[in-house]
Amino acid sequence: MKFFLVGFLPLFILGACLMYSDSIHNRKERLSAKGSVYREGEFQNMVPTQSNSGIGSILKSYLLEKSDVSRPTVNIPLAQIQAKDLHAGSSTEIYRLGHSSVLIRLDGGFWLTDPVFSERASPVQWAGPKRFHPVPVALESIPELEGVLISHDHYDHLDKGTIKALHPKVKRFYVPIGVASYLIEWGVPEHKIEELDWWQSVFSGTVEIVATPAQHFSGRGLFDRNQTLWASWVLIGQKERLFFSGDSGYFPGFKQIGENYGPFDLTLIETGAYNAHWPGVHMQPEHSIQAHMDLKGKLMIPIHNSTFDLALHAWYEPLERVTQLARELNQQLLTPRIGEGITLGQPRQQYAWWRELEPEAFPVRCDNQVALAEKNAIHERQGEPPTEWAFTPGDNCST
């Protein structure tokens, strides 16, 4: 559903005009080998998509139900990434850059999912959803990339400015059917783009890249709905298997992907921008956890949250709800700070960093918090990183 609501209708009328200037006709001509889910003039989901609520109901909810803290009240803490931090190595590392942008080192090479570095997820940079936080790494510090994975053409996943700035560093872009046209129009050489249908796979060195189904939709204006495909992605290295959901509602395809390519060492699963008004195209946290389990995932990192205000819920709600569910279902979950590096295979304590940013929502009192504050004061004076405290029920804490 994102933000094509009446509040942004003028913005999208402008966006639609811009899309016509990019020539939708030429884009359709490139669909000479349409995917297996291209029927009746548009791409469709594996199963019928559950309908959204009417625009009247959605507007009423935005007026009456919108959370007062849909944006953070204080700055989100970032772990700044320096170029020296990003070096070739044998271990698999994950850096969450915000929303659905994730930097991955796999088999010694770097990969990037849905890179959006612009200030706003919008066809223009003077209006539209604005970032909660800066990107934790400068574009010039991004290493040479083996590949960039694009899940679909929505503005919070496919960003013109970022693609134009990044493409000299990218060996190859992997995109669903139809999306290549955007990249070509933005100056990416056609030979650097691999356009895949669901279940198609290619290799880049030792890494296998598979385009897998998702339950979503596409379109960047008012007249191009579902004219390009959307996808999730599987990355299979020599030792580890990773899954990136892109955007998706919950659907049987997760179980099929798990049967075909699981178990996964890591799943990056959409958890955010959900609402009962658009149940078919974004998952509630309960569905996100179930998707992870269907995929036979070992470790899950929830994405698609903490960067843009695209729904009605509190900004921290997706992380809080999915953390509680993971604990109840005994699923391994990590919610790293934006920019924080995670090495697969190394044990790490779950850290509920958003709780410290919203004290009124989480009035947690712990006997060890005073000692922790004193310890971190010493670390700060010595120029060392702070010690993290993870909230654990029963750990001398009360709410």
Side-chain angles (χ1 to χ4, degrees):
M1 191 62 188
K2 305 290 171 59
F3 54 93
F4 355 119
L5 301 170
V6 166
F8 288 100
L9 187 56
L11 178 62
F12 274 88
I13 291 174
L14 174 60
C17 295
L18 293 175
M19 296 327 303
Y20 264 121
S21 68
D22 286 342
S23 178
I24 291 173
H25 176 70
N26 290 340
R27 185 167 301 112
K28 288 182 176 180
E29 284 187 343
R30 288 184 51 80
L31 298 179
S32 56
K34 298 179 179 68
S36 58
V37 291
Y38 192 90
R39 298 187 299 272
E40 299 176 3
E42 65 178 21
F43 289 97
Q44 299 184 19
N45 284 309
M46 283 179 57
V47 296
T49 310
Q50 188 173 351
S51 299
N52 296 335
S53 298
I55 190 67
S57 296
I58 295 175
L59 282 175
K60 182 178 179 181
S61 294
Y62 266 83
L63 290 172
L64 301 178
E65 300 172 18
K66 180 79 168 175
S67 171
D68 293 336
V69 284
S70 59
R71 296 182 60 88
T73 55
V74 297
N75 291 334
I76 285 182
L78 301 180
Q80 293 291 341
I81 304 171
Q82 307 297 328
K84 60 182 178 60
D85 300 325
L86 303 173
H87 56 276
S90 58
S91 60
T92 298
E93 293 188 342
I94 309 297
Y95 298 86
R96 191 171 172 218
L97 306 185
H99 202 55
S100 295
S101 302
V102 182
L103 182 64
I104 301 167
R105 187 176 73 191
L106 180 64
D107 286 7
F110 285 94
W111 300 77
L112 187 56
T113 67
D114 286 356
V116 177
F117 283 52
S118 293
E119 183 72 6
R120 297 179 185 270
S122 172
V124 294
Q125 287 302 297
W126 46 263
K130 188 176 181 181
R131 305 183 68 91
F132 299 166
H133 60 82
V135 182
V137 60
L139 266 170
E140 56 267 24
S141 296
I142 293 288
E144 296 294 316
L145 297 169
E146 284 295 312
V148 168
L149 306 177
I150 303 295
S151 64
H152 62 297
D153 67 8
H154 288 160
Y155 288 96
D156 56 325
H157 296 263
L158 178 62
D159 179 53
K160 178 179 179 179
T162 304
I163 296 298
K164 293 181 71 172
L166 267 182
H167 87 77
K169 292 188 172 189
V170 181
K171 182 177 179 181
R172 207 155 185 82
F173 290 87
Y174 300 88
V175 303
I177 293 175
V179 175
S181 293
Y182 292 108
L183 275 61
I184 293 169
E185 289 164 3
W186 300 340
V188 179
E190 189 169 357
H191 71 268
K192 292 177 61 173
I193 306 170
E194 194 79 50
E195 197 171 56
L196 301 178
D197 192 4
W198 291 347
W199 306 116
Q200 287 186 328
S201 66
V202 293
F203 276 86
S204 174
T206 60
V207 177
E208 183 179 7
I209 306 100
V210 188
T212 45
Q215 186 85 355
H216 203 55
F217 67 107
S218 66
R220 290 170 71 86
L222 296 178
F223 308 104
D224 62 346
R225 187 177 176 91
N226 296 342
Q227 291 305 304
T228 65
L229 187 60
W230 46 95
S232 56
W233 292 94
V234 170
L235 286 176
I236 304 175
Q238 292 176 303
K239 296 180 180 180
E240 287 124 343
R241 292 170 178 253
L242 282 61
F243 176 80
F244 168 64
S245 72
D247 278 3
S248 183
Y250 181 73
F251 75 125
F254 289 121
K255 189 175 291 291
Q256 187 175 354
I257 296 166
E259 292 294 334
N260 290 350
Y261 294 103
F264 290 97
D265 298 278
L266 172 69
T267 66
L268 301 161
I269 303 288
E270 178 217 87
T271 316
Y274 51 78
N275 190 272
H277 287 298
W278 47 91
V281 293
H282 286 294
M283 292 183 283
Q284 297 278 340
E286 293 82 1
H287 293 144
S288 298
I289 283 286
Q290 186 61 55
H292 168 73
M293 296 167 66
D294 289 352
L295 291 159
K296 304 178 183 179
K298 300 176 183 177
L299 171 66
M300 172 181 166
I301 294 179
I303 59 173
H304 204 256
N305 57 65
S306 308
T307 302
F308 297 111
D309 177 9
L310 302 175
L312 282 71
H313 56 65
W315 73 270
Y316 54 78
E317 181 187 296
L319 295 176
E320 181 65 18
R321 282 178 59 182
V322 77
T323 297
Q324 293 180 4
L325 288 163
R327 186 181 297 120
E328 293 169 4
L329 296 171
N330 196 31
Q331 298 297 309
Q332 188 179 2
L333 183 89
L334 280 181
T335 53
R337 289 174 298 168
I338 303 298
E340 180 181 4
I342 298 295
T343 301
L344 283 191
Q346 291 187 1
R348 188 170 182 86
Q349 188 179 28
Q350 165 67 356
Y351 175 44
W353 54 267
W354 58 93
R355 285 178 165 266
E356 299 173 1
L357 274 62
E358 301 291 348
E360 293 185 1
F362 303 103
V364 180
R365 301 180 298 278
C366 289
D367 296 341
N368 61 3
Q369 279 187 296
V370 174
L372 179 68
E374 293 174 350
K375 182 187 295 186
N376 282 340
I378 297 173
H379 287 326
E380 185 177 1
R381 288 195 295 270
Q382 295 176 347
E384 300 172 348
T387 299
E388 296 178 354
W389 170 74
F391 170 77
T392 303
D395 185 24
N396 296 321
C397 298
S398 62
T399 57

